[in-house]
Amino acid sequence: MAKHIGGMRMRTSIALLGAMLLTMLVLAGSTFELLKGQRLLLTQATRESQAQAAALLAGSIEQALIGAMRLPFQKLSNIPVDQIARARLQQVAREYPEIKEILLLGADMRVRQGFPTPSTPEQRVLVQWMADRAALEFVKNRDGGSSWHIAAEQIDGQSLLFAVQRINEWDQAEGWILMHFDLPAMFARHIQPLLNEFNAHQAGTATLAGPEAPWDDDALNWPVTRALPGWTVVVQPDSGRAAEHLRREQILILILTAALIVMLLMATFAVWRELRREHSIVALRNRFVANVSHELKTPLALIRMYAETLYLRRLTDPEKQHEYHRTILRESERLSAMIDNVLDFSRHQHLGEPYRLDERDLRETVLNTIADYRRHVEEQGLSVCVDCDPALPPVAHDRGGVRQIVLNLLDNAVKFGKEGGRIDIALHAKEGAVELSIADYGPGIPEVERERVRRPFERGRHPSAANGSGLGLAVVEQIAQAHHAGFRLEGVPGRQGLRAVVVFPVKEMTAT
């Protein structure tokens, strides 16, 4: 049955570990797919974000240019044409250095006066061309059109930016005002700062392209319709910054995934270790049950056999009867010690520290226990040598707990020390503590085995260790911990044997 349960536990643990490994593989695959989808989504989101930023930039450029060109017109609007002198035109031109020319046009779109006056035939032709272009714009928008228009044209590779407005918004017969603006100056003063700010905060490079600029399919192109007809804002995505942003997103996802995988690995290891520990405990308990069952059968069989013999009065020799009684007593004590160990171990497992620690004379407790057990030791052909300081400081301890420590250690010494014929017991005060040691002259326990035999259900490899429950030293360990005492196993210098040492702390007394 125990073997079947152990097999089921092992299969369950293997299935659980396999499920966790499969989960990690699925998680890794999902992570790579997520990264792939994240790349596409991030690229699309970046593109959309840059398109919105380009539209906002184009709108900002239009507002900046229109606002800059509107201001000088406000200085001359709604003033009768006969009151607009050349000096006034000169004053406005000087106040706004982006203006190259200011022209007053009559109702027939002919130049009446301007500043500066065109000095060459080419300039006069260009001025009249702008006037004709403005007249054409107003003819197209004659019915309900705006009183103010902007035009941007390319003439012989030269970019022209000019605007025209009625002198009197409600009377077209008064004529028009035409202003020719210096596009490079307007660009440097009103457009370039906007481009610089955009380039500093966006993952791309924005420029302003004229009608004759080559078209770039990879860039984002947004028209500047009102202020610069035919011109576009061109945003070239910064692949380095976009890639860096994408890399950061991927690294973040990889870190999160790695953290999840590490957590799964840790959980897998914890489950595997717990299952392995549970499997070991189950195996130890099964072995303990088998050992205890065997250990209980032997004394019970002897007790039953000798009791039946005495009950049926088959034995008449008084000496033999006495020997049978002694055997029954010895085996009963052996059973009692074994049961006490099991009960003490179970009680400490469930109750923690069931001992009452009072300041008492530890020397008295130890010597009384030795006196009660000395007869049993001597019956095994061993002698007990006690070395105890005459005056020891009080030690907080529970008499029953310390008695159980001494009895378990003496029982081990009797079991393994028969070859030496003697057990040495010492009780001395040492540096704020009282040290109890019990040493035998047996084969000892190798150093590598000393930690293992202190665990529950573990026994030594010597043939003498075959008898026993494997709980004696574990019970000593538990009781020592309940007394805040240290417990260790060590070799005996200069000879074979094993010494068990329990170090009880002494509470320091303050002077009054």
Side-chain angles (χ1 to χ4, degrees), residues 87-141:
R88 187 171 181 83
L89 298 180
Q90 184 178 0
Q91 179 184 356
V92 172
R94 288 176 178 174
E95 187 175 348
Y96 297 94
E98 297 92 347
I99 299 175
K100 294 183 72 173
E101 293 172 292
I102 302 180
L103 304 176
L104 290 180
L105 307 179
D108 57 355
M109 284 294 176
R110 295 300 174 184
V111 178
R112 292 184 178 180
Q113 63 175 320
F115 177 83
T117 303
S119 59
T120 64
E122 291 81 5
Q123 290 178 344
R124 287 190 288 271
V125 170
L126 181 60
V127 167
Q128 191 57 52
W129 179 89
M130 288 189 291
D132 294 341
R133 176 68 178 79
L136 179 62
E137 188 67 32
F138 275 106
V139 169
K140 289 193 301 181
N141 299 277

Side-chain angles (χ1 to χ4, degrees), residues 136-309:
L136 179 62
E137 188 67 32
F138 275 106
V139 169
K140 289 193 301 181
N141 299 277
R142 179 177 301 170
D143 299 328
S146 173
S147 64
W148 191 78
H149 290 280
I150 298 175
E153 300 290 346
Q154 292 280 334
I155 302 295
D156 297 332
Q158 181 182 2
S159 297
L160 299 178
L161 175 64
F162 55 94
V164 62
Q165 176 179 307
R166 294 191 186 103
I167 295 176
N168 188 330
E169 186 175 356
W170 313 108
D171 187 2
Q172 184 172 338
E174 291 244 1
W176 289 266
I177 301 172
L178 186 148
M179 294 188 187
H180 177 205
F181 294 92
D182 185 351
L183 184 57
M186 295 287 286
F187 181 88
R189 184 172 182 180
H190 301 287
I191 299 177
Q192 189 61 53
L194 297 175
L195 296 177
N196 292 339
E197 184 179 1
F198 179 90
N199 295 336
H201 296 89
Q202 298 292 330
T205 303
T207 55
L208 193 62
E212 297 181 357
W215 186 266
D216 189 352
D217 292 331
D218 296 329
L220 292 168
N221 298 271
W222 203 272
V224 187
T225 307
R226 293 175 56 202
L228 292 173
W231 289 65
T232 56
V233 172
V234 181
V235 178
Q236 187 69 43
D238 188 348
S239 58
R241 293 177 66 178
E244 179 64 23
H245 183 68
L246 181 62
R247 255 194 316 275
R248 290 178 181 176
E249 293 287 338
Q250 291 176 338
I251 290 173
L252 179 60
I253 294 176
L254 287 175
I255 289 175
L256 293 176
T257 305
L260 289 175
I261 292 176
V262 169
M263 291 174 63
L264 277 175
L265 286 174
M266 293 174 64
T268 303
F269 175 74
V271 170
W272 172 79
R273 186 177 64 177
E274 188 63 25
L275 288 173
R276 183 178 177 184
R277 178 177 174 274
E278 186 67 23
H279 180 72
S280 301
I281 291 176
V282 170
L284 285 173
R285 285 176 177 170
N286 292 336
R287 191 169 62 192
F288 163 72
V289 171
N291 292 336
V292 169
S293 299
H294 175 74
E295 289 297 317
L296 291 175
K297 285 180 181 179
T298 301
L300 283 175
L302 286 174
I303 291 172
R304 181 175 181 177
M305 182 181 68
Y306 286 175
E308 286 181 352
T309 301

Side-chain angles (χ1 to χ4, degrees), residues 284 287 445 447-461:
L284 285 173
R287 191 169 62 192
I445 299 177
E447 187 174 356
V448 295
E449 294 285 323
R450 293 172 190 166
E451 186 67 28
R452 181 183 63 82
V453 297
R454 293 164 59 178
R455 296 198 293 264
F457 315 122
E458 294 284 359
R459 296 187 297 183
R461 305 187 186 280

Side-chain angles (χ1 to χ4, degrees), residues 361 363 367 387-393 427-429:
D361 186 359
R363 181 175 180 274
L367 292 180
D387 179 15
C388 183
D389 289 347
L392 292 173
L427 191 62
H428 300 292

Side-chain angles (χ1 to χ4, degrees), residues 24 30 35 84 116 125-126 131 199 302 330 373 393 412 478 480:
M24 283 187 284
S30 301
L35 289 176
I84 301 177
V125 170
L126 181 60
N199 295 336
L302 286 174
R330 183 181 66 246
Y373 201 71
N412 277 350
Q478 287 183 345

Side-chain angles (χ1 to χ4, degrees), residues 361-428:
D361 186 359
L362 183 63
R363 181 175 180 274
E364 179 184 354
T365 303
V366 172
L367 292 180
N368 288 340
T369 305
I370 295 172
D372 293 339
Y373 201 71
R374 184 185 293 271
R375 177 173 167 274
H376 173 73
V377 175
E378 291 175 350
E379 286 179 354
Q380 303 300 318
L382 297 171
S383 61
V384 178
C385 180
V386 180
D387 179 15
C388 183
D389 289 347
L392 292 173
V395 175
H397 69 280
D398 179 89
R399 290 188 185 276
V402 172
R403 178 181 176 83
Q404 196 67 22
I405 288 177
V406 176
L407 289 179
N408 277 288
L409 295 180
L410 279 175
D411 187 63
N412 277 350
V414 170
K415 186 186 301 182
F416 295 101
K418 291 181 179 179
E419 301 174 5
R422 195 177 84 182
I423 298 175
D424 294 332
I425 302 175
L427 191 62
H428 300 292

